[in-house]
Amino acid sequence: MLPERRPVVLCADDYGLSPGVSRGILELAREGRISATGSMTNIPAFRTDAPPLRELAGTVGLGLHLTLTAGAPLGAMPRVARHGRLPPLGRILFASLSGRLPTSEIRGEIERQLDAFAQAMGRLPDFIDGHQHVHVLPGVRGALLAALAARRWRGWLRDPGDRPAAIRARPQARKAAVVAGLGLGFGAAARRAGFATNRGFSGFSDFAEGDGFADAFERSFRALGPAPVVMCHPGEVDEALRALDPVVASRPRELAYLGSDRFAAFLEREGLRLVPGPAA
């Protein structure tokens, strides 16, 4: 009798960021090389790219990639986005850690992005995470949990924390530790509020590993937790992407690797099974 394969969620972030990113993610999803993807519903490309993604409901986890640091908000945010553009991460981070985030504006944008997902996909998301992990920040997490509780939502939330030993075993341990620190207590708060979370998180990259990307990515599967999520950022490069993201070279490398025979052989060798959501 063959041993049971270990379930792991492989989640492609940034669906809707640009047509090229969406094409790459759709290709991998249709081939079974990823098992979940989070959508940036505030980016104009999402509205065009949503219909083919909707066809994958039930086979791929479809989530909201809450976005507060890229593009424009879906409604007025006079304090956060005074000029109609969402601020860079550094500004959100400073306001969060200093207790200066206007939670009413944050909750309003969360609600709008949830509504945009529901309108495009015909239902609320299976899961929610955040672009640059903003969903776990103080001043954001409380607004998010309150908004979801009010809707009686019952999906899962992505916790970017992990055990210190697991973080040390993988690439980009320092970045992973910083994100885990910023999100300290998020998973526990989410579970107290009645929401499921993953247990184990990896996939951090320096976005500049070049030919060493495959080796580094495979090390992301070391020391997996009991209900793990691994994130990735594949996609094709286009002008829309270049206008929103100054770092683009890693995306086609990730796309090529995840679609390769090497990745298929890696999953087989390691006894891994890609699933749309974390195990209970």
Side-chain angles (χ1 to χ4, degrees), residues 93-222:
L93 191 57
F94 176 79
S96 166
L97 297 180
S98 61
R100 297 178 182 177
L101 272 182
T103 55
S104 61
E105 284 191 17
I106 297 296
R107 178 162 175 177
E109 183 61 16
I110 291 169
E111 299 276 10
R112 289 187 289 268
Q113 292 188 24
L114 282 166
D115 287 341
F117 185 99
Q119 182 176 9
M121 308 303 288
R123 60 189 180 88
L124 288 172
D126 298 320
F127 69 93
I128 296 170
D129 56 30
H131 187 55
Q132 299 181 313
H133 313 289
V134 295
H135 66 300
V136 304
L137 294 178
V140 178
R141 67 173 72 172
L144 175 62
L145 295 177
L148 296 176
R151 291 175 182 242
R152 302 181 185 274
W153 179 78
R154 282 296 174 263
W156 59 275
L157 292 163
R158 191 164 87 181
D159 180 0
D162 208 338
R163 297 159 295 140
I167 290 173
R168 289 194 298 269
R170 305 185 192 122
Q172 298 301 310
R174 183 175 179 180
K175 183 189 294 188
V178 168
V179 173
L182 291 171
L184 194 63
F186 173 78
R191 290 187 289 273
R192 283 196 302 272
F195 303 117
T197 69
N198 56 296
R199 288 166 291 158
F201 182 73
S202 58
F204 288 92
S205 169
D206 68 358
F207 301 106
E209 281 149 345
D211 293 338
F213 168 77
D215 291 332
F217 188 75
E218 289 171 5
R219 292 199 301 275
S220 295
F221 289 81
R222 290 178 178 174

